[in-house]
Each structure stands twice: as structure tokens, then as C-alpha cells.
Amino acid sequence: MKPTKYLPLLVLVAMLTFSCSTEDFPEETIDNMSLPVPPAAKTIEIEILELLNAHRINLGLEPLTNHNTIKAVAYTHTDYMVESNNVGHDNFFQRKNSLIDNANATKVSENVAYAFSSAESVVNAWLNSEGHKANIEGDFTDFDISAEQNDEGRWYFTNIFIKR
């Protein structure tokens, strides 16, 4: 038999042997070896972090420290929310695992928000929500935030807290 007759069969065998998994993975992925470099801190981000720490200090809690790895991970999620036009905690386990691996986190939590136009408005909304407020006042050591605008100028926020 001619080798060209076997070629389609060999291609089929090769495809079945070397094909990728068919599992669906979310579009938002975090490669633990190469976290993105987030953009420089925006004024609104700095204001939010300052307001959150002022709230903690007023309650007698320790202020939290900014952390570049948290900022990078938060940025991946904010960018994902802007691109998907969806606000939520999609793929949180990936962010959590990335922070465990890259920032020595033992505990991870996050707050997200959308469409607030000032630092004060987003922080007030979080403080008026029991779950978000619990994160702000929680037993954490570090935090950071990513705030990005979509094409219409609406803000998306991801605020992540960790304990090391």
C-alpha cells in the first residue's frame, strides 16, 4: 500500500494523541509566573485606599499596606470586567490561588463595584453593604485596588484584601 493512503489515518491518530483538553477555561486567567504590570496608581485608586485606611484607623484597626502583587491581580480582574461588561467575582479562586502563590497570602477577599464616579461614592456604597464592610474591616494585612474605565467612561473597581 502507498504511504499516502496511510497519511489521513496518521493525521487522525496524531490529532487524537496530541490534542488539547476540551475543558472550558474562563477567559480571565492569571499565569502565576508572569503577572501583568498594572498601570500606575490613579488618583481615584489612591483616594479609595486612603478612605478605607481612614475608616479602619477610626475603628482602632491597623491600616493596610499597599501591595504591588495584589494590584497586578486586581488589574487582571478589572480589565476582565471591562472587557466582558460584567461585574462580579468570576474566577475568584484563580485570583486567590495566585495571591497565595505570589504574595504568601493565607486569606483573600475582594470587593468589586461599577459605575461609581468618585472614591467617596464607591467607599460609601461598600460601607453600606454588610459583606463589603466586613472585608474592609476584616483581619487583613495588605490590600490594593484597580479602577479602570470602559469606553463610555464608567468606572469598574476591584479591591482585594489579603492576610499574610
Side-chain angles (χ1 to χ4, degrees), residues 122-140:
V122 71
V123 169
N124 286 336
W126 283 334
L127 290 174
N128 287 318
S129 164
E130 188 176 320
H132 294 102
K133 184 177 180 179
N135 288 339
I136 293 167
E137 297 174 359
D139 181 24
F140 298 104

Side-chain angles (χ1 to χ4, degrees), residues 80-112:
Y80 166 80
M81 291 192 302
V82 169
E83 290 297 319
S84 65
N85 194 31
N86 181 39
V87 179
H89 299 282
D90 295 355
N91 312 310
F92 174 73
F93 72 95
Q94 290 178 335
R95 291 186 295 287
K96 178 181 177 182
N97 289 338
S98 180
L99 289 165
I100 289 169
D101 292 344
N102 295 294
N104 299 317
T106 60
K107 180 179 174 184
V108 180
S109 193
E110 74 179 13
N111 290 345
V112 297

Side-chain angles (χ1 to χ4, degrees), residues 16-38:
L16 293 174
T17 305
F18 300 111
S19 69
C20 295
S21 171
T22 59
E23 291 181 40
D24 291 329
F25 289 100
E27 290 182 29
E28 177 197 12
T29 59
I30 301 172
D31 180 354
N32 289 337
M33 301 310 282
S34 60
L35 289 171
V37 176

